[in-house]
Amino acid sequence: MAAGPTVLLMLIAGMMAVPAFGQRWKVQYFYDENRNTFFIEDLSFPSATRGIAVGTVRDELGQNNKEKYIALLTSDGGEHWSTEPLKDHPRSLFFLNDSIGWLVGDNGIWFTEESGRNWKKISNQRKGDKKFGPTPGGGVLTRVWFLDEKHGFAVGLQKTVVESKDGGVTWTPVEEAAKPSADASHTAYSVIAFDGKLGLIVGGSVPPRIDDPKLPSWMEPERAVKRRQVPTLKLQIETRDGGATWKSSTAPLFGDVTAVRLSGLNGLVSFSFAESFEWPSEVYKIDLTTGKTAITFHAKDRRVFDCSLFPGPRAYIAAVEPPGKLNTVPIPGKVKMLTSTNLTDWTEMDVDYKAN
């Protein structure tokens, strides 16, 4: 998230109220460097005190075209932050605990045992690197999830799902992921989530349309609101034994899956839609025992970007209030946080007015 050419407002789980799951969110970090903007690619808090954010610093005036990649680190819940340089453009983070984590970059997968203070490359994303072979199947990895220090899974473009049993150094394809009959050139697995031995990997196949717009929707608002949203093929593979076996399924659904969260007997899945759809986004709750789903949240003035789910259940939704009729305009919208203790009724929380 970024706001303006010189200041980044980074909003994290640093709540001002004393009770657990407090009711106020405050800005915990400002990036304030003249002419530069810090774009956060991903953020991970493996504990209440230890946090890591990774992203790209860009010169907004174009005087220096070279981008810098950095990690922001905190060990006191966001009260103080330090920066560390990165050698690769970061795509995503996954932390197993306070110390051990993986970073997926454009050029490879990186590993840390020092809470993000030192990263070493363990796997390659590019051909031509003699030390590491390219990703199996030719797909580019975008996200990883590890069940322990050795056993993990990764998802990516070209219908790629791979498994590692040596901490991410080598990978083998998960054959079940290739079974859905979708053109790999237009298909990606993008979301992965585990809770114990239960795991879900979700993706989609979006072939090009004849009426695909040449310009962004905010430059052609009249056309955007009239362009009909059509269902696309959604892919899912599921495991209930920690990845020993998988079962694949497909369904034509509207929108794009933006997040999957699992906890105990419950799950949350958020969808994002185009301007012509009635709702900018929807969040569904899943009964992980029966498999039944139901809408738990949608609002015409709230575009959901992420959600979190904890035992209890206790859930959070992170959304923005679009500043106009189009819900994807580049103008920053106000951050809106909502919480629920029953996955049915949602209450808006107080958010620092500067957050966007």
Side-chain angles (χ1 to χ4, degrees), residues 281-356:
S281 55
E282 290 181 334
V283 181
Y284 287 77
K285 59 182 178 181
I286 310 173
D287 185 321
L288 297 178
T289 302
T290 64
K292 293 182 178 180
T293 63
I295 293 176
T296 179
F297 177 82
H298 60 197
K300 293 185 177 181
D301 60 349
R302 298 288 181 268
R303 185 173 186 85
V304 176
F305 280 87
D306 206 350
C307 56
S308 292
L309 182 61
F310 300 90
R314 184 82 187 203
Y316 294 94
I317 286 175
V320 298
E321 182 178 35
K325 292 183 179 180
L326 297 181
N327 57 59
T328 58
V329 294
I331 303 171
K334 290 295 183 182
V335 173
K336 300 293 180 180
M337 299 294 298
L338 300 97
T339 185
S340 174
T341 57
N342 58 12
L343 304 186
T344 299
D345 304 305
W346 294 88
T347 302
E348 290 213 359
M349 307 171 72
D350 187 20
V351 178
D352 191 301
Y353 74 94
K354 296 185 294 295
N356 56 35

Side-chain angles (χ1 to χ4, degrees), residues 93-142:
L93 285 171
F94 179 84
F95 271 80
L96 187 66
N97 52 43
D98 262 9
S99 302
I100 296 175
W102 292 261
L103 181 150
V104 181
D106 284 355
N107 297 311
I109 297 175
W110 303 73
F111 177 74
T112 182
E113 294 180 292
E114 303 175 34
S115 306
R117 285 185 171 80
N118 184 35
W119 296 91
K120 62 180 180 179
K121 189 177 181 182
I122 60 171
S123 185
N124 187 43
Q125 291 255 48
R126 304 288 189 187
K127 294 181 179 180
D129 190 324
K130 295 181 180 180
K131 186 176 181 181
F132 307 107
T135 303
V140 174
L141 302 183
T142 56

Side-chain angles (χ1 to χ4, degrees), residues 211-223:
D211 63 341
D212 275 347
K214 296 181 180 180
L215 296 173
S217 60
W218 60 271
M219 295 184 68
E220 297 182 303
E222 295 298 326
R223 178 174 178 173

Side-chain angles (χ1 to χ4, degrees), residues 227-257:
R227 187 170 182 265
R228 187 167 61 92
Q229 173 104 46
V230 297
T232 55
L233 187 66
K234 297 299 178 290
L235 293 73
Q236 174 183 299
I237 62 172
E238 176 184 343
T239 180
R240 292 184 176 268
D241 54 16
T245 60
W246 294 86
K247 182 180 180 180
S248 61
S249 61
T250 61
L253 297 173
F254 290 99
D256 298 317
V257 177

Side-chain angles (χ1 to χ4, degrees), residues 10 38 40-46 50-55 70-73 81 86 88-96 99-105 108-112 115-117 119 141-146 153 192 261:
M10 177 174 162
F38 178 37
I40 295 176
E41 307 288 352
D42 204 358
L43 170 70
S44 178
F45 261 75
R50 184 76 66 178
I52 304 94
V54 292
I70 64 172
L72 280 175
L73 310 172
W81 295 85
L86 298 174
D88 196 359
H89 174 253
R91 295 174 182 265
S92 63
L93 285 171
F94 179 84
F95 271 80
L96 187 66
S99 302
I100 296 175
W102 292 261
L103 181 150
V104 181
I109 297 175
W110 303 73
F111 177 74
T112 182
S115 306
R117 285 185 171 80
W119 296 91
L141 302 183
T142 56
R143 189 165 294 278
V144 299
W145 190 295
F146 278 81
F153 295 89
I192 178 171
R261 308 297 180 194

